[in-house]
Amino acid sequence: MPTIAAVAAAAGVSKTTVSHVLSGKRPVSPATRRTVLNVIDELGFQPNSLAQALRSRRTGTVAVLVPDVTNPFYPALARGLQRSLLAQDYLLLLADVGIGDRAVHAFLADAVQRRVDGIVIAALAVTAEDLRTVARARISVVSVGVRLPIDGSDVVSSDDEAVAFDATTYLVNRGHRRIANIGGQPGTPPALGRAKGYRAALEHAGLDLPDGMQVVGDWTRDGGERAMRRILEHATRPTAVFCANDLMAIGAMDAVIAAGLRVPQDVALVGVDDIEAASLVRPALTTMRIPADEIGQVAGSLLLERIGADTAPIGRSIRVSHELVVRDST
Amino acid sequence: MPTIAAVAAAAGVSKTTVSHVLSGKRPVSPATRRTVLNVIDELGFQPNSLAQALRSRRTGTVAVLVPDVTNPFYPALARGLQRSLLAQDYLLLLADVGIGDRAVHAFLADAVQRRVDGIVIAALAVTAEDLRTVARARISVVSVGVRLPIDGSDVVSSDDEAVAFDATTYLVNRGHRRIANIGGQPGTPPALGRAKGYRAALEHAGLDLPDGMQVVGDWTRDGGERAMRRILEHATRPTAVFCANDLMAIGAMDAVIAAGLRVPQDVALVGVDDIEAASLVRPALTTMRIPADEIGQVAGSLLLERIGADTAPIGRSIRVSHELVVRDST
DNA sequence: CTGAAAGCGCTTACAG
DNA sequence: CTGAAAGCGCTTACAG
């Protein structure tokens, strides 16, 4: 591959000048500019981004950590993120943390070593220890789902307590009195808020938290199915279940139907996210819609502002709104 | 951030030695080794990957270009790919080419400038011109779906003609005589092979290609719905439709149902891929299963062999097998 | 409007 | 077992 030195030699100018026709950071006479451009074209010169990044301290890369790319919520988020970031020529380094035996910690260390300009961490449990190296490297961080233990990091999320409160209250208003909950994996970000919102709604309605009716899944369809089976083992069934995401709600539906019961007549089901599958499954799933694409886009904007900023990070918190989508499972 | 020079100074050794305790490429006495490791830990030293890559000419990065991350086929593929590549510490630079106005060309140029070690191109139309800079940079390329016009590039794919032939023949064997086809976007890789297989099956069965019954979509649900509407405008309806992927088949199902017709009684539908939605939609979709995860994993293995190889690339072609999954739409 | 030179932070022959 | 020095390919003060 030709280097900037080769271009300079062929064009009869200095490397400095070639660099400046490339970057536009200093005026270059139209004539030399043209000559250089021609040579670049002839030689097929492609500037080495590594060398550029090493000097200029900007890699044009943002790392994205998601727990599971096969949960459609995250591709949608990634798409929104790319939309924001592409405008500034950033590329996405994607890490599906759920795969292999690499932990969040290993991916973060890798991102730091690669000197990415920013990191987006979606719905993942991260310790203060994990974030120490990130903070030391002064890499901008935006988290999705919950605030991270790093000074002034931005967060964009749905109001998880309100999401769960509103979904559960909707079930209460439909006349349900025995409402179960399939929660997210303990320790992962939106799990806690959604569990709290569920309990708050029951309390607000003057209902007891039914015994053994709050179980946790792992955010997957299989996990939701297993959780629902455990709920159905109890002598008295719930008449409705609030599931902390759609994938688990779909798994719960599998279990209800497999048990010979009907949705919603025997057990009503509500999910969260509104992934496409929610509208495809039969009965179609009632769910609390969270705009994944918008979250990604907002996360991207926040990150860009941080990367560009010379002031200390502020620690903003952006809430996206949720919306009940009523279908046939309730 | 501390550098290798800082570590060397603090440990009282040369940068060379620090580099070698890091890489293990040369024996270091246990005592100095320990000292250096301690200093690294104390200072929180994180080697700068950019500098390493600039010297060693290995970035540990693989670019993946996909047409649409929100089509679940591609996240599954990306997951398989990451599984292969993570074993060798490669990270994925993901480009959702369908988004924004950046063409394949721009992403490839970017990948070349970043000196990625390999590129995986999935189901995307790429010109020889686009690949020239990639070839010049001697970057390993593996394509998914169709062989690319680049010397000796590997390809992993399903046998698209056979996929379509088998799916269409299955419809023929079920007694259908008027079978339509919703094809993929012309020019995108698997579209041609699947259209050919469809026609070959009709011919093999001694059936005419029905007039106006072969239309093209754009691989999306919306595109499938529009295509189906056009098919239904004809005076004589088909009794079955072979759709080149599941997303379009689901869109076609939307259109059939919206027209007040029944699946499969009035119109039978077959898709390709077996994304999760195929089993969720009602009636559940009969489809030709393509193992996306396996394709990704194989693509990763091929790429690793290429990156490691010092011989000229061979141009291998790996076929993954397909399998009919009969559900309720036929 | 242009260039010489230092330096970003590493690795790797070369030498001992 | 260890080190001095060159160099990967750029950018950017500094100088004119």
Side-chain angles (χ1 to χ4, degrees), chain A residues 14 16-17 26-29 32 55 57:
Chain A
S14 70
T16 306
T17 297
R26 151 171 130 173
V28 175
S29 84
T32 35
R55 268 302 322 232
R57 299 175 170 291

Side-chain angles (χ1 to χ4, degrees), chain B residues 99-111:
Chain B
I99 216 179
D101 46 18
R102 276 175 71 137
V104 172
H105 182 79
F107 280 113
L108 285 178
D110 211 331

Side-chain angles (χ1 to χ4, degrees), chain A residues 79-88 296-301 304:
Chain A
R79 171 162 271 213
L81 190 59
Q82 187 180 305
R83 197 194 314 280
S84 295
L85 295 179
L86 221 48
Q88 309 278 344
Q297 212 166 331
V298 171
S301 309
L304 289 177

